[in-house]
Amino acid sequence: MRKPFVAGNWKMHGSKAMIGSLISALRAGAEQIKGVDVAVCPPSLYIQFAGDMLLESQIKVGAQNVASVAGQGALTGEVSVDMVQDLGCQYVIVGHSERRSIFDETDEVVAAKVGVVLEAGLTPILCVGETLEQREAGVTQDVVAGQIGVVLQKLGVSAFNNIVIAYEPVWAIGTGKVATPEQAQSVHAFIRSLIANEDSKIASNLIIQYGGSVKPENAAILFSQPDIDGGLIGGASLDAGDFLAICKAAGEACSE
Ligand code: PEP
């Protein structure tokens, strides 16, 4: 049985004051976190600060992005996986649609990032998903298969022992337009089948999060779908009450 995983993507939000009160509230409500793994992904500059505040809590820390090469080097403005690991991160979000569309990250760059994250012993949260135009053109499966296919080709199916996939329809991110449970389940099942074509055991253990306007009101129904194993949460992760309610819904839905 898969343990659900909920991660908060804080994007470019936060200050010491805001993060201080958010984490204090998360820690105060931590009894709601049962039967679910939880992480928060602050902006890189605040990883240390957030990590220190989360010491000895069950909430882990992740990064939102890393460079596609590891170690150190002449790459002004970049942050390497070794650096976020040094600060205590266990997860790295890779290939978020904002990175793909705004920062022109190709499937190849995303696959390289997944590779460096795995090599460092951290868990990539590999984001995939279609735009509205692609959904309307009926090519959702082709898009998702292509995004995952490059990683499969470059790293092999065994890499998926240590990868979390986040299915995030681009049209649902930050828009308030959530995929219906049926729409999400259908793509999640397709993603699992893609991996099962290569290795059924790896596929049945694979954590596939849903992301895109998850809120306390829609979390339970989404997480009760058989192939949805928690969520990647943007906006609602900035509100401790909402994020804890979503974590609680994941723990309850997946224990049924
Ligand atoms: C995200 O940014 O990964 C996300 C899912 O955002 P939101 O929950 O705000 O739609």
Side-chain angles (χ1 to χ4, degrees):
M1 175 131 158
R2 296 182 296 271
K3 187 173 184 189
F5 174 40
V6 172
N9 174 12
W10 292 355
K11 309 195 186 190
M12 197 174 73
H13 293 287
S15 62
K16 283 202 278 184
M18 179 274 210
I19 292 170
S21 48
L22 177 56
I23 294 183
S24 301
L26 289 175
R27 291 202 69 149
E31 80 285 345
Q32 295 182 65
I33 301 176
K34 279 193 209 106
V36 53
D37 289 325
V38 177
V40 292
C41 303
S44 303
L45 269 182
Y46 292 109
I47 287 170
Q48 176 86 59
F49 180 68
D52 287 350
M53 285 199 71
L54 286 167
L55 275 181
E56 288 170 28
S57 90
Q58 51 193 313
I59 302 175
K60 308 292 181 229
V61 180
Q64 298 175 18
N65 177 41
V66 289
S68 58
V69 292
Q72 321 249 327
L75 286 169
T76 303
E78 287 290 85
V79 170
S80 78
V81 67
D82 306 74
M83 295 168 184
V84 302
Q85 182 182 41
D86 195 29
L87 299 186
C89 282
Q90 296 188 17
Y91 299 95
V92 181
I93 299 172
V94 179
H96 190 280
S97 70
E98 289 152 17
R99 303 261 0 138
R100 291 178 188 264
S101 65
I102 304 170
F103 300 97
D104 294 329
E105 287 190 9
T106 61
D107 287 341
E108 286 68 28
V109 168
V110 171
K113 291 187 177 192
V114 170
V116 297
V117 172
L118 285 171
E119 244 170 72
L122 276 62
T123 302
I125 301 174
L126 168 63
C127 300
V128 299
E130 81 288 0
T131 62
L132 186 58
E133 294 68 39
Q134 290 166 333
R135 172 160 285 267
E136 286 174 351
V139 295
T140 297
Q141 292 194 349
D142 299 332
V143 170
V144 168
Q147 290 166 332
I148 293 175
V150 177
V151 178
L152 266 174
Q153 201 181 11
K154 190 175 155 64
L155 303 172
V157 70
S158 62
F160 286 81
N161 276 311
N162 299 304
I163 291 174
V164 168
I165 294 182
Y167 167 59
E168 301 206 302
V170 178
W171 48 272
I173 297 178
T175 58
K177 278 189 212 154
V178 66
T180 65
E182 295 73 27
Q183 284 173 323
Q185 164 58 26
S186 143
V187 182
H188 280 237
F190 172 70
I191 291 171
R192 202 176 301 287
S193 77
L194 278 180
I195 304 300
N197 289 341
E198 309 280 327
D199 188 310
S200 59
K201 187 156 182 280
I202 293 176
S204 68
N205 290 329
L206 179 68
I207 298 291
I208 309 176
Q209 299 176 315
Y210 169 78
S213 298
V214 178
K215 307 280 178 237
E217 304 75 52
N218 57 31
I221 180 80
L222 285 163
F223 298 157
S224 66
Q225 303 304 307
D227 288 292
I228 300 185
D229 311 311
L232 182 56
I233 317 300
S237 70
L238 297 170
D239 181 292
D242 284 357
F243 188 63
L244 287 166
I246 290 168
C247 294
K248 186 165 184 268
E252 288 173 355
C254 302
S255 70
E256 278 162 9

